[in-house]
Coordinates of all heavy atoms in Angstrom, one line a residue:
M29 N 112.4 -62.5 134.9 CA 113.4 -61.5 135.2 C 114.2 -61.2 134.0 O 114.7 -62.0 133.4 CB 114.2 -61.9 136.4 CG 115.2 -60.8 136.8 SD 115.7 -60.7 138.5 CE 115.9 -62.3 139.1
A30 N 114.2 -59.9 133.6 CA 115.0 -59.5 132.5 C 116.3 -58.9 132.9 O 116.4 -57.9 133.6 CB 114.2 -58.4 131.7
G31 N 117.4 -59.6 132.6 CA 118.7 -59.2 133.1 C 118.7 -59.3 134.6 O 118.3 -60.2 135.2
S32 N 119.2 -58.2 135.3 CA 119.2 -58.2 136.7 C 118.0 -57.4 137.3 O 117.9 -57.2 138.5 CB 120.5 -57.6 137.2 OG 120.6 -56.2 136.8
N33 N 117.1 -56.9 136.4 CA 115.9 -56.2 136.8 C 114.8 -57.1 137.2 O 114.5 -58.1 136.5 CB 115.5 -55.2 135.7 CG 116.5 -54.2 135.4 OD1 117.2 -53.7 136.2 ND2 116.5 -53.8 134.1
K34 N 114.1 -56.7 138.3 CA 112.9 -57.5 138.7 C 111.8 -56.8 138.0 O 111.6 -55.6 138.0 CB 112.8 -57.4 140.2 CG 113.8 -58.1 141.0 CD 113.6 -58.0 142.5 CE 114.8 -58.6 143.2 NZ 114.6 -58.5 144.7
I35 N 111.0 -57.6 137.4 CA 109.8 -57.1 136.6 C 108.6 -57.5 137.4 O 108.3 -58.6 137.7 CB 109.7 -57.8 135.2 CG1 111.0 -57.6 134.4 CG2 108.5 -57.3 134.5 CD1 111.3 -56.2 134.1
A36 N 107.8 -56.5 137.8 CA 106.6 -56.7 138.6 C 105.4 -56.8 137.6 O 105.4 -56.1 136.6 CB 106.4 -55.6 139.6
V37 N 104.4 -57.6 138.0 CA 103.2 -57.7 137.2 C 102.1 -57.4 138.2 O 102.0 -57.8 139.3 CB 103.0 -59.2 136.7 CG1 101.7 -59.4 136.0 CG2 104.2 -59.6 135.9
F38 N 101.1 -56.5 137.7 CA 100.0 -56.0 138.5 C 98.7 -56.5 137.9 O 98.6 -56.8 136.7 CB 100.1 -54.5 138.6 CG 101.4 -54.0 139.2 CD1 102.4 -53.6 138.4 CD2 101.5 -54.0 140.6 CE1 103.6 -53.2 139.0 CE2 102.7 -53.6 141.1 CZ 103.7 -53.2 140.4
A39 N 97.7 -56.5 138.7 CA 96.4 -57.0 138.3 C 95.8 -56.1 137.2 O 95.1 -56.5 136.3 CB 95.4 -57.0 139.5
D40 N 96.1 -54.8 137.3 CA 95.6 -53.9 136.3 C 96.6 -52.7 136.3 O 97.5 -52.5 137.1 CB 94.2 -53.4 136.6 CG 94.0 -52.9 138.0 OD1 94.8 -52.0 138.4 OD2 93.1 -53.3 138.7
A41 N 96.4 -51.8 135.2 CA 97.3 -50.7 135.0 C 97.3 -49.7 136.2 O 98.3 -49.1 136.5 CB 97.0 -50.0 133.7
E42 N 96.1 -49.5 136.8 CA 96.0 -48.5 137.9 C 96.8 -49.0 139.1 O 97.4 -48.2 139.8 CB 94.5 -48.4 138.3 CG 93.7 -47.5 137.3 CD 92.2 -47.4 137.7 OE1 91.8 -48.0 138.7 OE2 91.6 -46.7 137.0
S43 N 96.8 -50.3 139.3 CA 97.6 -50.8 140.4 C 99.1 -50.6 140.2 O 99.9 -50.3 141.1 CB 97.4 -52.3 140.6 OG 96.0 -52.6 141.0
G44 N 99.5 -50.8 138.9 CA 100.9 -50.5 138.5 C 101.3 -49.0 138.7 O 102.3 -48.7 139.2
A45 N 100.3 -48.1 138.4 CA 100.6 -46.7 138.6 C 100.7 -46.4 140.1 O 101.5 -45.6 140.5 CB 99.5 -45.9 137.9
A46 N 99.8 -47.0 140.9 CA 99.8 -46.8 142.3 C 101.2 -47.2 142.9 O 101.8 -46.6 143.8 CB 98.7 -47.5 143.0
A47 N 101.7 -48.3 142.4 CA 103.0 -48.9 142.9 C 104.1 -47.9 142.5 O 105.1 -47.7 143.2 CB 103.2 -50.2 142.3
Q48 N 104.0 -47.3 141.3 CA 105.0 -46.4 140.8 C 105.0 -45.2 141.8 O 106.1 -44.7 142.2 CB 104.7 -45.9 139.4 CG 105.7 -44.9 138.8 CD 105.3 -44.4 137.4 OE1 104.3 -44.8 136.9 NE2 106.2 -43.5 136.9
F49 N 103.9 -44.6 142.1 CA 103.8 -43.5 143.0 C 104.4 -43.9 144.4 O 105.1 -43.1 145.1 CB 102.4 -42.9 143.1 CG 102.1 -41.9 142.1 CD1 101.4 -42.3 141.0 CD2 102.6 -40.6 142.1 CE1 101.1 -41.4 140.0 CE2 102.4 -39.7 141.1 CZ 101.6 -40.1 140.0
D50 N 104.0 -45.1 144.9 CA 104.5 -45.5 146.2 C 106.1 -45.6 146.2 O 106.7 -45.1 147.1 CB 103.9 -46.9 146.5 CG 104.4 -47.4 147.8 OD1 104.2 -46.7 148.9 OD2 105.0 -48.5 147.9
L51 N 106.6 -46.2 145.1 CA 108.1 -46.2 145.0 C 108.7 -44.8 144.9 O 109.7 -44.6 145.6 CB 108.5 -47.0 143.8 CG 108.5 -48.5 143.9 CD1 108.7 -49.2 142.5 CD2 109.5 -49.0 144.9
L52 N 108.1 -44.0 144.2 CA 108.7 -42.6 144.0 C 108.6 -41.9 145.4 O 109.6 -41.3 145.8 CB 107.9 -41.8 143.0 CG 108.1 -42.2 141.6 CD1 107.1 -41.5 140.6 CD2 109.6 -41.8 141.1
N53 N 107.5 -42.0 146.1 CA 107.4 -41.4 147.4 C 108.4 -42.0 148.5 O 109.0 -41.3 149.2 CB 106.0 -41.5 148.0 CG 105.1 -40.4 147.5 OD1 105.4 -39.2 147.9 ND2 104.1 -40.7 146.7
R54 N 108.5 -43.3 148.5 CA 109.4 -44.0 149.5 C 110.9 -43.9 149.2 O 111.7 -43.7 150.1 CB 109.0 -45.5 149.6 CG 107.7 -45.7 150.4 CD 107.5 -47.2 150.7 NE 107.3 -48.0 149.5 CZ 108.1 -48.9 149.1 NH1 109.2 -49.2 149.7 NH2 107.8 -49.6 148.0
N55 N 111.2 -44.0 147.9 CA 112.7 -44.1 147.6 C 113.3 -42.9 146.8 O 114.5 -42.9 146.6 CB 112.9 -45.4 146.8 CG 112.5 -46.6 147.6 OD1 112.6 -46.7 148.8 ND2 112.0 -47.6 146.9
Y56 N 112.5 -42.0 146.3 CA 113.0 -40.9 145.5 C 112.7 -39.5 145.9 O 113.3 -38.6 145.5 CB 112.5 -41.2 144.0 CG 113.0 -42.5 143.5 CD1 112.3 -43.7 143.7 CD2 114.2 -42.5 142.7 CE1 112.8 -44.9 143.2 CE2 114.7 -43.7 142.2 CZ 114.0 -44.9 142.5 OH 114.5 -46.1 142.0
A57 N 111.7 -39.4 146.8 CA 111.4 -38.0 147.3 C 112.6 -37.5 148.1 O 113.3 -38.2 148.8 CB 110.2 -38.1 148.3
G58 N 112.9 -36.2 147.8 CA 114.1 -35.6 148.4 C 115.3 -35.6 147.4 O 116.3 -35.0 147.7
M59 N 115.2 -36.4 146.3 CA 116.2 -36.4 145.3 C 116.0 -35.4 144.2 O 114.9 -35.0 143.9 CB 116.3 -37.8 144.7 CG 116.7 -38.9 145.7 SD 116.8 -40.5 144.8 CE 118.3 -40.3 143.9
K60 N 117.1 -35.0 143.6 CA 117.0 -34.1 142.4 C 116.4 -35.0 141.3 O 116.7 -36.2 141.2 CB 118.3 -33.6 142.0 CG 118.8 -32.5 143.0 CD 120.2 -32.0 142.6 CE 120.7 -31.0 143.6 NZ 122.0 -30.5 143.2
L61 N 115.6 -34.4 140.4 CA 115.0 -35.2 139.3 C 116.1 -36.0 138.5 O 115.9 -37.2 138.3 CB 114.3 -34.3 138.4 CG 113.7 -34.9 137.1 CD1 112.6 -35.9 137.5 CD2 113.1 -33.9 136.2
G62 N 117.2 -35.4 138.1 CA 118.2 -36.1 137.3 C 118.8 -37.3 138.1 O 118.9 -38.4 137.5
D63 N 119.0 -37.1 139.4 CA 119.6 -38.2 140.2 C 118.5 -39.3 140.3 O 118.9 -40.5 140.3 CB 120.0 -37.7 141.6 CG 121.2 -36.7 141.5 OD1 121.9 -36.7 140.5 OD2 121.3 -35.9 142.5
A64 N 117.3 -38.9 140.5 CA 116.2 -39.9 140.6 C 116.1 -40.7 139.4 O 115.9 -42.0 139.4 CB 114.9 -39.2 141.0
I65 N 116.1 -40.1 138.2 CA 116.0 -40.8 136.9 C 117.2 -41.7 136.7 O 117.0 -42.9 136.3 CB 115.8 -39.8 135.7 CG1 114.5 -39.0 135.9 CG2 115.9 -40.5 134.4 CD1 113.2 -39.8 135.8
R66 N 118.4 -41.3 137.1 CA 119.5 -42.1 136.9 C 119.4 -43.4 137.8 O 119.7 -44.5 137.4 CB 120.8 -41.4 137.3 CG 121.3 -40.5 136.1 CD 122.7 -39.9 136.4 NE 122.6 -38.7 137.3 CZ 122.3 -37.5 136.9 NH1 122.0 -37.3 135.6 NH2 122.2 -36.5 137.7
K67 N 118.9 -43.2 139.0 CA 118.7 -44.3 139.9 C 117.6 -45.2 139.4 O 117.8 -46.4 139.4 CB 118.4 -43.8 141.3 CG 118.1 -44.9 142.4 CD 117.8 -44.3 143.7 CE 117.4 -45.4 144.7 NZ 116.9 -44.9 146.0
W68 N 116.5 -44.6 139.1 CA 115.3 -45.4 138.6 C 115.7 -46.3 137.4 O 115.3 -47.4 137.3 CB 114.2 -44.4 138.2 CG 112.9 -45.1 137.8 CD1 112.6 -45.5 136.5 CD2 111.7 -45.3 138.6 NE1 111.4 -46.0 136.5 CE2 110.8 -45.9 137.7 CE3 111.4 -45.1 139.9 CZ2 109.5 -46.3 138.2 CZ3 110.2 -45.5 140.3 CH2 109.2 -46.1 139.5
S69 N 116.4 -45.7 136.5 CA 116.8 -46.4 135.2 C 118.0 -47.2 135.3 O 118.4 -47.8 134.3 CB 116.9 -45.3 134.1 OG 118.1 -44.6 134.3
G70 N 118.7 -47.2 136.4 CA 120.0 -48.0 136.5 C 121.0 -47.3 135.7 O 121.9 -47.9 135.2
D71 N 120.8 -46.0 135.5 CA 121.7 -45.1 134.6 C 121.7 -45.6 133.2 O 122.7 -45.5 132.5 CB 123.1 -45.1 135.2 CG 123.9 -43.8 134.8 OD1 123.2 -42.8 134.4 OD2 125.1 -43.8 134.9
N72 N 120.6 -46.1 132.7 CA 120.4 -46.6 131.4 C 119.7 -45.5 130.5 O 118.6 -45.1 130.8 CB 119.5 -47.9 131.4 CG 119.4 -48.5 130.0 OD1 120.2 -48.2 129.1 ND2 118.3 -49.2 129.8
S73 N 120.4 -45.0 129.5 CA 119.9 -43.9 128.7 C 119.5 -42.7 129.5 O 118.6 -42.0 129.1 CB 118.8 -44.4 127.8 OG 119.1 -45.6 127.1
S74 N 120.2 -42.4 130.5 CA 119.8 -41.3 131.4 C 119.7 -40.0 130.8 O 118.7 -39.3 131.1 CB 120.8 -41.3 132.6 OG 120.7 -42.4 133.4
P75 N 120.7 -39.5 130.0 CA 120.5 -38.2 129.4 C 119.2 -38.0 128.6 O 118.5 -37.0 128.8 CB 121.8 -38.0 128.5 CG 122.8 -38.9 129.1 CD 122.0 -40.1 129.6
G76 N 118.9 -38.9 127.8 CA 117.6 -38.8 127.0 C 116.4 -39.0 127.9 O 115.4 -38.2 127.7
Y77 N 116.5 -39.8 128.9 CA 115.4 -40.0 129.8 C 115.1 -38.8 130.6 O 114.0 -38.3 130.7 CB 115.7 -41.2 130.7 CG 114.6 -41.9 131.5 CD1 114.7 -43.2 131.8 CD2 113.4 -41.2 131.9 CE1 113.8 -43.9 132.5 CE2 112.5 -41.9 132.6 CZ 112.6 -43.2 132.9 OH 111.6 -43.9 133.6
I78 N 116.2 -38.2 131.1 CA 116.1 -37.0 131.9 C 115.5 -35.8 131.0 O 114.6 -35.1 131.5 CB 117.4 -36.6 132.5 CG1 117.8 -37.6 133.6 CG2 117.4 -35.2 133.1 CD1 119.3 -37.5 134.0
A79 N 116.0 -35.7 129.8 CA 115.5 -34.7 128.9 C 114.0 -34.8 128.6 O 113.3 -33.9 128.6 CB 116.3 -34.7 127.6
L80 N 113.6 -36.1 128.4 CA 112.2 -36.3 128.1 C 111.3 -35.9 129.3 O 110.3 -35.2 129.1 CB 112.0 -37.8 127.8 CG 110.5 -38.2 127.4 CD1 110.5 -39.2 126.3 CD2 109.8 -38.8 128.6
V81 N 111.7 -36.4 130.5 CA 110.9 -36.1 131.7 C 110.9 -34.6 132.0 O 109.9 -34.0 132.3 CB 111.4 -36.9 132.9 CG1 110.7 -36.5 134.1 CG2 111.1 -38.4 132.6
S82 N 112.1 -34.0 131.8 CA 112.2 -32.5 132.1 C 111.3 -31.7 131.1 O 110.6 -30.8 131.5 CB 113.6 -32.0 131.9 OG 114.4 -32.5 133.0
S83 N 111.3 -32.1 129.8 CA 110.5 -31.4 128.8 C 109.0 -31.6 129.1 O 108.2 -30.7 129.0 CB 110.9 -32.0 127.5 OG 110.0 -31.4 126.5
A84 N 108.6 -32.8 129.5 CA 107.2 -33.1 129.7 C 106.7 -32.4 131.0 O 105.5 -32.0 131.0 CB 107.0 -34.6 129.9
T85 N 107.5 -32.3 132.0 CA 107.1 -31.7 133.3 C 107.4 -30.3 133.5 O 106.8 -29.6 134.3 CB 107.7 -32.5 134.4 OG1 109.1 -32.3 134.4 CG2 107.3 -34.0 134.4
G86 N 108.4 -29.8 132.7 CA 108.8 -28.4 133.0 C 109.8 -28.3 134.2 O 110.1 -27.2 134.6
L87 N 110.1 -29.5 134.7 CA 111.1 -29.5 135.9 C 112.5 -29.6 135.4 O 112.8 -30.3 134.5 CB 110.8 -30.7 136.7 CG 109.5 -30.8 137.4 CD1 109.2 -32.2 138.0 CD2 109.4 -29.7 138.5
A88 N 113.4 -28.8 136.0 CA 114.8 -28.8 135.7 C 115.4 -30.1 136.3 O 114.8 -30.6 137.3 CB 115.5 -27.6 136.2
P89 N 116.4 -30.6 135.7 CA 117.1 -31.8 136.3 C 117.5 -31.7 137.7 O 117.6 -32.7 138.4 CB 118.3 -32.0 135.3 CG 117.9 -31.4 134.0 CD 117.1 -30.2 134.4
D90 N 117.7 -30.4 138.2 CA 118.1 -30.2 139.6 C 116.9 -29.9 140.5 O 117.1 -29.6 141.7 CB 119.2 -29.2 139.7 CG 118.8 -27.8 139.2 OD1 117.7 -27.7 138.7 OD2 119.6 -26.8 139.5
A91 N 115.7 -30.0 139.9 CA 114.5 -29.8 140.8 C 114.4 -31.0 141.7 O 114.6 -32.1 141.3 CB 113.3 -29.6 139.9
V92 N 114.0 -30.7 143.0 CA 113.9 -31.7 144.0 C 112.5 -32.3 143.9 O 111.5 -31.6 143.9 CB 114.2 -31.2 145.4 CG1 114.0 -32.3 146.4 CG2 115.7 -30.7 145.4
I93 N 112.4 -33.6 143.9 CA 111.1 -34.3 143.9 C 110.7 -34.3 145.4 O 111.4 -34.8 146.3 CB 111.3 -35.8 143.4 CG1 111.7 -35.7 141.9 CG2 110.0 -36.5 143.6 CD1 112.0 -37.1 141.4
T94 N 109.4 -33.9 145.6 CA 108.9 -33.8 147.0 C 107.6 -34.6 147.0 O 106.9 -34.8 145.9 CB 108.6 -32.4 147.4 OG1 107.6 -31.8 146.6 CG2 109.9 -31.5 147.4
P95 N 107.1 -35.0 148.2 CA 105.8 -35.7 148.2 C 104.7 -34.7 147.7 O 103.7 -35.2 147.1 CB 105.6 -36.0 149.7 CG 107.0 -36.1 150.2 CD 107.8 -35.1 149.4
E96 N 104.8 -33.4 148.0 CA 103.8 -32.5 147.5 C 103.8 -32.4 146.0 O 102.7 -32.4 145.3 CB 104.1 -31.1 148.1 CG 104.0 -31.0 149.6 CD 105.2 -31.6 150.4 OE1 106.3 -31.7 149.8 OE2 105.0 -31.8 151.5
L97 N 105.0 -32.5 145.3 CA 105.1 -32.5 143.9 C 104.4 -33.7 143.4 O 103.6 -33.7 142.4 CB 106.5 -32.4 143.4 CG 106.6 -32.4 141.9 CD1 107.5 -31.3 141.4 CD2 107.2 -33.7 141.4
L98 N 104.7 -34.9 144.0 CA 104.2 -36.1 143.5 C 102.6 -36.2 143.6 O 102.0 -36.9 142.8 CB 104.8 -37.3 144.2 CG 106.3 -37.5 143.9 CD1 106.9 -38.6 144.9 CD2 106.5 -38.0 142.4
A99 N 102.1 -35.5 144.6 CA 100.6 -35.5 144.8 C 99.9 -34.4 143.9 O 98.7 -34.4 143.9 CB 100.3 -35.2 146.3
S100 N 100.7 -33.7 143.2 CA 100.1 -32.6 142.4 C 99.9 -33.1 140.9 O 100.4 -34.1 140.5 CB 101.1 -31.4 142.3 OG 102.2 -31.7 141.5
P101 N 99.2 -32.3 140.1 CA 99.1 -32.6 138.7 C 100.4 -32.8 138.0 O 100.6 -33.6 137.1 CB 98.3 -31.4 138.1 CG 97.5 -31.0 139.3 CD 98.4 -31.1 140.5
Q102 N 101.4 -32.0 138.4 CA 102.7 -32.1 137.9 C 103.4 -33.5 138.2 O 104.1 -34.1 137.4 CB 103.7 -31.0 138.4 CG 104.9 -30.9 137.6 CD 105.7 -29.6 137.9 OE1 105.7 -29.2 139.1 NE2 106.3 -29.0 137.0
G103 N 103.0 -34.1 139.4 CA 103.5 -35.4 139.7 C 102.9 -36.4 138.8 O 103.6 -37.4 138.4
I104 N 101.6 -36.3 138.4 CA 101.0 -37.2 137.4 C 101.7 -37.1 136.1 O 102.0 -38.1 135.5 CB 99.5 -37.0 137.3 CG1 98.8 -37.3 138.6 CG2 98.9 -37.7 136.1 CD1 97.4 -37.0 138.7
T105 N 102.0 -35.9 135.7 CA 102.8 -35.7 134.4 C 104.1 -36.3 134.5 O 104.6 -37.0 133.5 CB 102.9 -34.1 134.2 OG1 101.6 -33.6 134.1 CG2 103.7 -33.9 132.8
L106 N 104.8 -36.2 135.7 CA 106.1 -36.9 135.9 C 105.9 -38.4 135.7 O 106.7 -39.0 135.0 CB 106.6 -36.6 137.3 CG 107.8 -37.3 137.8 CD1 109.1 -37.0 136.9 CD2 108.1 -37.1 139.2
A107 N 105.0 -39.0 136.4 CA 104.8 -40.4 136.3 C 104.4 -40.9 134.9 O 104.9 -41.9 134.4 CB 103.7 -40.9 137.3
R108 N 103.6 -40.1 134.2 CA 103.2 -40.5 132.9 C 104.4 -40.4 131.9 O 104.6 -41.3 131.1 CB 102.1 -39.5 132.4 CG 100.8 -39.7 133.0 CD 99.8 -38.8 132.5 NE 99.1 -39.4 131.3 CZ 98.0 -39.0 130.8 NH1 97.3 -38.0 131.4 NH2 97.5 -39.6 129.8
A109 N 105.3 -39.4 132.1 CA 106.5 -39.3 131.2 C 107.4 -40.5 131.5 O 108.0 -41.0 130.6 CB 107.2 -38.0 131.5
M110 N 107.5 -40.8 132.8 CA 108.4 -42.0 133.1 C 107.8 -43.3 132.5 O 108.5 -44.1 131.9 CB 108.5 -42.1 134.6 CG 109.4 -41.0 135.2 SD 109.4 -41.1 137.0 CE 110.4 -42.6 137.3
A111 N 106.5 -43.4 132.6 CA 105.9 -44.6 132.0 C 106.0 -44.7 130.5 O 106.3 -45.7 130.0 CB 104.4 -44.6 132.4
R112 N 105.9 -43.5 129.9 CA 106.1 -43.4 128.4 C 107.5 -43.9 128.1 O 107.8 -44.6 127.1 CB 105.8 -42.0 127.9 CG 106.0 -41.9 126.4 CD 105.6 -40.6 125.8 NE 106.3 -39.5 126.4 CZ 105.8 -38.4 127.1 NH1 104.5 -38.4 127.2 NH2 106.5 -37.5 127.6
Q113 N 108.5 -43.4 128.8 CA 109.9 -43.7 128.5 C 110.1 -45.2 128.7 O 110.8 -45.9 127.9 CB 110.8 -42.9 129.4 CG 112.3 -43.3 129.3 CD 113.0 -43.0 128.0 OE1 112.5 -42.1 127.3 NE2 114.0 -43.6 127.7
E114 N 109.6 -45.8 129.8 CA 109.8 -47.2 130.1 C 109.1 -48.1 129.1 O 109.7 -49.1 128.8 CB 109.2 -47.5 131.5 CG 110.0 -46.7 132.7 CD 111.4 -47.3 132.9 OE1 111.7 -48.4 132.6 OE2 112.2 -46.4 133.3
A115 N 107.9 -47.7 128.7 CA 107.1 -48.6 127.8 C 107.4 -48.3 126.3 O 107.1 -49.2 125.5 CB 105.6 -48.4 128.0
G116 N 108.0 -47.2 126.0 CA 108.2 -46.8 124.6 C 107.0 -46.3 123.9 O 107.0 -46.2 122.7
R117 N 105.9 -46.1 124.7 CA 104.7 -45.6 124.1 C 103.9 -44.9 125.2 O 104.2 -45.1 126.4 CB 103.9 -46.7 123.4 CG 103.5 -47.8 124.4 CD 102.8 -49.0 123.7 NE 102.7 -50.1 124.5 CZ 101.8 -50.3 125.4 NH1 100.9 -49.4 125.7 NH2 101.8 -51.5 126.1
E118 N 102.8 -44.2 124.8 CA 102.0 -43.5 125.8 C 101.3 -44.6 126.7 O 100.9 -45.7 126.2 CB 100.9 -42.7 125.1 CG 101.5 -41.5 124.4 CD 102.0 -40.4 125.4 OE1 101.5 -40.3 126.5 OE2 102.9 -39.7 125.0
S119 N 101.0 -44.2 127.9 CA 100.3 -45.1 128.8 C 98.8 -45.2 128.4 O 98.3 -44.1 127.9 CB 100.4 -44.5 130.2 OG 99.5 -45.2 131.1
P120 N 98.2 -46.3 128.5 CA 96.8 -46.4 128.2 C 95.9 -45.8 129.2 O 94.7 -45.7 129.0 CB 96.5 -47.9 128.1 CG 97.6 -48.5 129.0 CD 98.8 -47.6 128.9
L121 N 96.4 -45.4 130.4 CA 95.6 -44.8 131.4 C 95.1 -43.4 131.1 O 95.9 -42.6 130.5 CB 96.4 -44.8 132.7 CG 96.8 -46.1 133.4 CD1 97.7 -45.8 134.6 CD2 95.6 -46.8 133.8
T122 N 93.9 -43.2 131.5 CA 93.4 -41.8 131.3 C 93.9 -40.9 132.5 O 94.4 -41.4 133.5 CB 91.8 -41.9 131.4 OG1 91.4 -42.3 132.7 CG2 91.2 -42.8 130.3
A123 N 93.6 -39.6 132.3 CA 94.0 -38.7 133.4 C 93.3 -39.1 134.7 O 93.9 -39.0 135.8 CB 93.7 -37.3 133.0
Q124 N 92.0 -39.5 134.6 CA 91.3 -39.9 135.8 C 91.9 -41.1 136.5 O 91.9 -41.3 137.7 CB 89.8 -40.1 135.5 CG 89.1 -38.8 135.1 CD 89.4 -38.4 133.6 OE1 89.8 -39.2 132.8 NE2 89.1 -37.2 133.3
Q125 N 92.3 -42.1 135.7 CA 92.9 -43.3 136.2 C 94.3 -43.0 136.9 O 94.5 -43.6 137.9 CB 93.1 -44.4 135.1 CG 91.8 -45.0 134.6 CD 92.0 -45.8 133.4 OE1 92.6 -45.4 132.4 NE2 91.5 -47.1 133.5
W126 N 95.0 -42.1 136.3 CA 96.3 -41.7 137.0 C 96.0 -41.0 138.3 O 96.7 -41.3 139.3 CB 97.1 -40.8 136.1 CG 97.9 -41.5 135.1 CD1 97.7 -41.6 133.7 CD2 99.2 -42.2 135.3 NE1 98.7 -42.4 133.1 CE2 99.6 -42.7 134.1 CE3 100.0 -42.4 136.4 CZ2 100.8 -43.4 133.9 CZ3 101.1 -43.1 136.3 CH2 101.5 -43.6 135.1
Q127 N 95.0 -40.2 138.3 CA 94.6 -39.5 139.6 C 94.2 -40.5 140.6 O 94.4 -40.3 141.8 CB 93.5 -38.5 139.3 CG 93.1 -37.7 140.5 CD 94.2 -36.8 141.0 OE1 94.9 -36.2 140.2 NE2 94.4 -36.7 142.3
A128 N 93.4 -41.5 140.2 CA 93.0 -42.5 141.2 C 94.1 -43.2 141.9 O 94.1 -43.4 143.1 CB 92.1 -43.6 140.5

C-alpha cells in the first residue's frame, strides 16, 4: 500500500482495464468529469489531470460521465488518458485490448 491508497494488482493489463471501467461505471457515472477526476485522484494534481483528460477526450470538465459514454470509443479515450496520467506514460494496451 502506497500512503493511504490501495494498490490493486491484476493478472494482466486487460483485467486492470476492465476493473477501471467497472469502477468508473459503478462509482463515477452521473458525475461531471472534473468532479470524477478530483474524486479518482484524491484531488491530487487535479487541475492538470482534468486538463489532460479534457484535451484527450474533447470533453469539458462539466460534461457528465454516463454509462453510454463509457461504452463508446470516447470512453476508451477517457480511460486511456486516465491510465496515461496515472502511469506517467502511454498504456501498453492496443485499441483492441481496450475494447475487449
Side-chain angles (χ1 to χ4, degrees):
M29 183 151 36
S32 63
N33 294 329
K34 294 179 182 177
I35 306 294
V37 178
F38 299 96
D40 53 49
E42 287 177 355
S43 296
Q48 180 182 2
F49 277 102
D50 181 57
L51 280 172
L52 288 169
N53 272 296
R54 283 188 297 114
N55 299 329
Y56 297 85
M59 295 180 74
K60 293 179 181 178
L61 177 65
D63 294 337
I65 295 297
R66 279 188 281 281
K67 178 180 175 184
W68 181 278
S69 69
D71 208 17
N72 183 23
S73 303
S74 295
Y77 198 152
I78 294 165
L80 180 140
V81 173
S82 290
S83 176
T85 61
L87 294 169
D90 63 350
V92 176
I93 297 172
T94 64
E96 296 78 18
L97 180 130
L98 292 170
S100 75
Q102 195 172 35
I104 292 172
T105 302
L106 169 67
R108 289 179 88 162
M110 291 174 70
R112 181 174 59 237
Q113 174 69 21
E114 296 290 331
R117 59 183 167 81
E118 290 293 330
S119 168
L121 292 175
T122 65
Q124 293 78 19
Q125 289 172 308
W126 276 102
Q127 183 64 42

